[in-house]
Amino acid sequence: MTQTALLVIDVQESFRVRENWSVVNHPDIADRVNRLVHAARANGDLVIWVLHTEPGTGGAFDPANGHVRFIEGLEPADGEPVIRKTAHNAFTTTNLQQVLTQHGIREVVVSGIRTEQCCETTARVASDLGYGVTFVTEATATTPLPHWTMPADATLADVLADPRTLSPETIVERTEYVLAGRFASIRTLDEVAPPVLAS
C-alpha cells in the first residue's frame, strides 16, 4: 500500500434523477472516475468511496428513496472503505481522517461530483489538515450554477435563461484558480491515469 488515497466523492444516482443532470458537463463521469480507480488499484493506492446522504429529507439524497448508490459501472472492491457523509466535505461528519491515518495516507487524489461543492470543499479541508492534494478536475462533474437569488423552485429553463447563471466551464475555471497553488495541485486525467496504449 502506498501513501496515496483516491477519494471518489458522491458519484451517485442521486444526481442522475435530477432534471439538471441533462446539462452536466461530464455525463461520462463514471467512466472518468473508473480510469482513476483502475490506475489507483494498479499503483497499490487506497480507494475510498464517499456517498452523500440527507436522511429524512424525502429528496434524491434521502437513503429511503434508493438513489444513494454508486452510478452503474462503479463498484468498490473488497476492503475498500465506503463512507457516508451528511456535510459538503468528506471529513466533518465521517471517520475519513481516521481511515487515512490508519492506512498511513499522506496524499489524496480528489474526484467526483460536484466540482465546486463537495469536491472543492473536501480538497480545502484535506489541505488544511496537512494532506497533499491532487485535484483531477476532468474526473469531476458539475452543472450550471444559478445566481443565489434564484428561487429554489426555479425550473431548469429559468436557470439556463438567466444571464447570471454560471456555466460548468466557468465553474471549473474558478475552482482551479482558487485551488491551484493554495490547496491542491491540478492534474489532468491523462497525467494521473495514463491511457493504456494497444500493443
Side-chain angles (χ1 to χ4, degrees):
M1 186 70 69
T2 71
Q3 293 182 315
T4 300
L6 169 65
L7 305 181
V8 178
I9 300 172
D10 304 351
V11 188
Q12 61 195 72
E13 293 290 343
S14 308
F15 289 101
R16 299 215 303 172
V17 299
R18 291 176 147 189
E19 184 184 19
N20 65 356
W21 184 259
S22 64
V23 288
V24 70
N25 63 335
H26 294 149
D28 62 340
I29 183 64
D31 294 334
R32 292 166 181 256
V33 167
N34 249 337
R35 273 186 61 184
L36 292 180
V37 170
H38 293 318
R41 290 171 178 164
N43 290 338
D45 298 342
L46 180 65
V47 180
I48 300 176
W49 303 79
V50 182
L51 288 167
H52 186 76
T53 68
E54 297 174 0
T57 60
F61 295 90
D62 188 334
N65 288 333
H67 305 303
V68 181
R69 53 191 168 84
F70 298 108
I71 290 177
E72 186 176 354
L74 294 177
E75 186 70 39
D78 289 345
E80 291 177 346
V82 177
I83 292 172
R84 287 168 174 78
K85 66 181 178 65
T86 56
H88 292 308
N89 77 80
F91 287 93
T92 303
T93 60
T94 72
N95 67 337
L96 175 58
Q97 188 175 7
Q98 180 182 359
V99 171
L100 295 175
T101 300
Q102 287 173 341
H103 288 86
I105 301 299
R106 302 184 67 174
E107 308 274 340
V108 295
V109 177
V110 176
S111 66
I113 306 173
R114 300 173 43 178
T115 307
E116 80 289 359
Q117 192 163 306
C118 296
C119 295
E120 180 182 324
T121 309
T122 298
R124 287 170 177 262
V125 174
S127 175
D128 281 352
L129 290 173
Y131 296 98
V133 181
T134 296
F135 197 88
V136 189
T137 319
E138 291 176 337
T140 68
T142 194
T143 53
L145 185 64
H147 192 267
W148 62 84
T149 60
M150 179 72 70
D153 61 351
T155 66
L156 179 59
D158 289 339
V159 171
L160 296 178
D162 187 339
R164 300 171 300 173
T165 294
L166 297 184
S167 69
E169 292 76 21
T170 299
I171 294 167
V172 164
E173 180 181 53
R174 292 183 179 196
T175 294
E176 290 184 337
Y177 261 83
V178 299
L179 289 181
R182 297 180 178 94
F183 300 99
S185 297
I186 309 298
R187 295 288 180 266
T188 66
L189 193 52
D190 282 349
E191 287 173 333
V192 179
V196 178
L197 301 177
S199 56

